[in-house]
Amino acid sequence: MTGLGCVLIAVDGSEESMNALKWALDNLKLRNNSSKPEQGHFLILHVQSPPNIITGLNPGSIPFGGPDNLEVPAFAKAIEAHQRRITEAIMSHALQICSEKKVNVKTQVVVGDPKEVICEMIDNLHVDLLVMGCRPFGPIKRMFLGSVSNYCTNHAECPVVIVKDSS
């Protein structure tokens, strides 16, 4: 086996995604050619939802003739700062998990819809394998929220490994 070139691991801060990262580090072999610049690597990807999806930054129309599309700059900045702190904590935790292994790791943070961004990254970077966790949604919640792992399984242009909780 020659090993994998690029393994994308999607992390969202959940225990399931961190377990998927641990699984990938413990079970996958990367390409290791010191004579070629094409050494394999793990790419840890965190996708932030755009602030307007999370909170609806538009406070709504202001009664008595105020502007309809008013944004509250201080509120928007507070949300962005909060998301930045969450992202830093997620990536720090992921890198801490990786630090125990001697592997080539890269990180990337992108803002957008997680399922679309993950599939776009796979296409753009020619990813060999996607590894992700699976949250235990019930059928009704999955019907309304959708499932990122289900979407990626059906749309990603590479093999996908879904690491389920073993408990």
Side-chain angles (χ1 to χ4, degrees):
M1 179 175 174
T2 59
L4 297 162
C6 178
V7 176
L8 190 150
I9 304 158
V11 297
D12 61 5
S14 68
E15 186 176 344
E16 293 84 6
S17 71
M18 294 305 168
N19 287 339
L21 172 59
K22 291 174 190 171
W23 181 90
L25 295 172
D26 290 341
N27 293 288
L28 299 177
K29 181 179 178 183
L30 296 175
R31 183 173 33 225
N32 189 6
N33 286 342
S34 55
S35 62
K36 293 183 180 179
E38 301 170 8
Q39 183 176 3
H41 66 276
F42 291 106
L43 173 62
I44 300 171
L45 173 67
H46 174 65
V47 183
Q48 283 184 348
S49 295
N52 59 349
I53 289 176
I54 293 175
T55 58
L57 284 181
N58 185 340
S61 53
I62 297 175
F64 311 113
D68 286 340
N69 61 351
L70 177 70
E71 279 194 15
V72 182
F75 183 62
K77 287 191 187 309
I79 294 297
E80 289 172 10
H82 180 68
Q83 279 189 301
R84 197 168 26 257
R85 285 190 301 272
I86 290 171
T87 297
E88 288 169 2
I90 290 169
M91 296 310 265
S92 175
H93 185 212
L95 288 172
Q96 181 182 9
I97 290 169
C98 294
S99 70
E100 301 165 5
K101 311 286 182 184
K102 302 292 186 226
V103 293
N104 186 9
V105 176
K106 298 178 182 181
T107 61
Q108 190 156 359
V109 176
V110 180
V111 176
D113 178 14
K115 51 189 182 232
E116 291 176 9
V117 168
I118 291 168
C119 289
E120 286 172 14
M121 296 287 291
I122 289 167
D123 291 344
N124 295 340
L125 300 175
H126 308 291
V127 170
D128 294 319
L129 181 68
L130 168 64
V131 178
M132 57 193 323
C134 180
R135 290 188 173 180
F137 288 147
I140 295 187
K141 193 170 188 180
R142 189 178 302 113
M143 181 176 69
F144 287 107
L145 295 178
S147 165
V148 174
S149 58
N150 186 53
Y151 182 91
C152 291
T153 299
N154 291 307
H155 293 89
E157 295 294 326
C158 72
V160 179
V161 173
I162 307 295
V163 179
K164 292 178 103 177
D165 188 19
S166 60
S167 59

